[in-house]
Amino acid sequence: MLILGIESSCDETSVAVVRDGRIILSNIVATQIEEHRLYGGVVPEIASRRHIENIGPVTEEALRRADVRIQDLDAVAVTYAPGLIGALLAGVSFAKGFCYAAEKPLVPVHHLRGHIASLYLSNKELKPPFVALVVSGGHSHVIMVKGYTEFEILGRAVDDAAGEAFDKVARTLGLPYPGGPEISKLAKDGDPDRYPLPTPHVTGQYNVSFSGLKTAVLNLVNSLRMKGEVINTADIAAAFEQKVTDILAARIADAAAEYGLPAGLCGGVSVNGVLQEKCRKLCEKKGIELYLPERALCGDNGAMIASAGYYEYLSGNTATISLNAYATLDIDMH
Ligand code: KG4
Ligand code: ZN
């Protein structure tokens, strides 16, 4: 079965063709990062406009690279929630027009279900049930993946998501957007123990909180500045990265151990090398199998949406032409 997957929830316009939910025939990603970097973050209005401009050519390229004709497609999957509403609407409107004209079924896909499906593309043997840690710019969720289309949230970020915290701390340290890769690069030369950061307390066994940590970095930078001391940004980056990754790795390893299930790590932040290494070590210690997406599938992409869309389609989840987009929607409220 051939599914076209369309992703436009944030700053990547991406379209892919995936066979049977597991085999990528093409995956074209047009990123807008350079343009948003000028403003220190994603400008929603600009994102929507670029999606509208890019989505047609990116779709044509995805079909061409896959060597697939429109009539060969079995369905079109599109991210309809959560994300920037204007950005989502660009993809949803395009998908609706495409499906109407080509007479194809339309499959709505939740963005986080897409990130979880990135694990199926990179690990052909992986099947539910497993426990996933989905860490992106907008979300940090510990999710029980009961089936391909059945999910239960075990824990979540009660304030800033992990990626958001990376981005905000990067800004405090004078680094460009997106902050995750910048902090990660800088932290390699830093001493994580020079500036001890507090461990945030949060209720709920699998919840996380990063807002206090972000404020602690801000206060640290301000107090060093006021005292006229040298601010070693590499050490601060290393301390912050260490704290966040310690917390995240413990959550996924503990949850997988409690339920006796394999673990999956996915989402934009999952590309972080320190996080991957800590998850690997902890899971190995607890005898838990850990699954990761390949690097290219950690960030937003159409292939993961096509993969999730395949399983949604098999479970009978299709939409009519009246499909709407939603800025917020829980993964289990589908
Ligand atoms: O999943 P994603 O591409 O988009 C959303 O759905 O939000 O995640 C983007 C997030 C950004 O906050 C970015 O800073 C973060 O992933 N990120 C990283 C790294 N690379 C990207 N965070 C930590 N370390 C990285 N190497
Ligand atoms: Zn994402």
Side-chain angles (χ1 to χ4, degrees):
M1 197 177 280
L2 291 175
I3 310 282
L4 186 80
I6 299 174
E7 159 61 34
S8 72
S9 67
C10 191
D11 55 357
E12 261 98 35
T13 317
S14 181
V15 183
V17 180
V18 171
R19 171 173 289 135
D20 298 334
R22 300 272 179 166
I23 300 153
I24 299 175
L25 302 189
S26 66
N27 187 27
I28 310 299
V29 184
T31 181
Q32 309 171 3
I33 281 180
E34 290 303 325
E35 193 169 0
H36 295 295
R37 188 172 282 149
L38 299 173
Y39 306 95
V42 178
V43 183
E45 173 69 18
I46 293 176
S48 312
R49 285 170 187 264
R50 293 298 166 263
H51 286 309
I52 290 167
E53 288 162 11
N54 292 338
I55 201 148
V58 170
T59 303
E60 279 177 7
E61 182 65 7
L63 290 167
R64 198 185 62 74
R65 289 259 188 103
D67 198 18
V68 159
R69 296 165 307 171
I70 290 175
Q71 56 265 43
D72 300 331
L73 295 170
D74 291 284
V76 176
V78 64
T79 308
Y80 79 112
L84 299 171
I85 192 67
L88 287 166
L89 279 168
V92 167
S93 307
F94 179 83
K96 290 202 286 191
F98 188 101
C99 287
Y100 183 73
E103 298 182 335
K104 298 290 175 189
L106 175 64
V107 182
V109 172
H110 189 283
H111 185 73
L112 298 191
R113 294 187 183 205
H115 276 301
I116 289 169
S118 70
L119 294 164
Y120 302 136
L121 294 166
S122 301
N123 304 278
K124 304 287 183 260
E125 72 286 10
L126 176 63
K127 290 189 180 81
F130 59 95
V131 179
L133 173 66
V134 190
V135 271
S136 68
H139 299 86
S140 301
H141 277 37
V142 180
I143 296 169
M144 164 89 83
V145 184
K146 297 176 168 176
Y148 287 108
T149 59
E150 206 191 333
F151 306 85
E152 185 189 335
I153 301 173
L154 302 177
R156 62 168 86 215
V158 296
D159 39 53
D160 292 1
E164 192 181 353
F166 268 98
D167 295 338
K168 288 178 177 169
V169 164
R171 196 191 281 224
T172 301
L173 299 181
L175 301 168
Y177 174 86
E182 299 290 334
I183 291 210
S184 180
K185 232 186 292 164
L186 189 62
K188 285 195 175 70
D189 303 319
D191 169 8
D193 301 317
R194 171 153 168 198
Y195 301 111
L197 292 173
T199 298
H201 288 284
V202 61
T203 54
Q205 196 183 356
Y206 298 119
N207 286 345
V208 288
S209 165
F210 296 120
S211 163
L213 213 47
K214 171 196 72 185
T215 308
V217 172
L218 187 63
N219 290 342
L220 172 66
V221 169
N222 284 341
S223 88
L224 290 172
R225 198 168 281 148
M226 280 192 300
K227 285 189 245 163
E229 287 182 27
V230 178
I231 301 171
N232 189 320
T233 52
D235 291 347
I236 298 175
F240 175 75
E241 184 181 56
Q242 166 161 284
K243 207 65 174 177
V244 171
T245 54
D246 275 348
I247 293 165
L248 292 173
R251 291 296 184 279
I252 182 65
D254 288 351
E258 180 181 337
Y259 292 96
L261 292 172
L265 176 63
C266 56
V269 182
S270 72
V271 79
N272 184 287
V274 176
L275 177 62
Q276 289 194 359
E277 205 39 50
K278 282 184 185 166
C279 287
R280 252 191 220 110
K281 279 206 182 117
L282 261 186
C283 286
E284 204 180 298
K285 211 164 113 191
K286 291 175 186 268
I288 296 160
E289 199 134 12
L290 174 70
Y291 293 92
L292 297 167
E294 58 211 85
R295 279 192 79 80
L297 299 178
C298 289
D300 293 345
N301 65 86
M304 69 186 198
I305 302 305
S307 173
Y310 168 76
Y311 294 106
E312 297 290 344
Y313 185 55
L314 289 186
S315 76
N317 181 10
T318 55
T320 65
I321 204 80
S322 65
L323 176 69
N324 204 348
Y326 302 91
T328 56
L329 183 75
D330 271 346
I331 190 169
D332 52 355
M333 298 293 289
H334 202 49

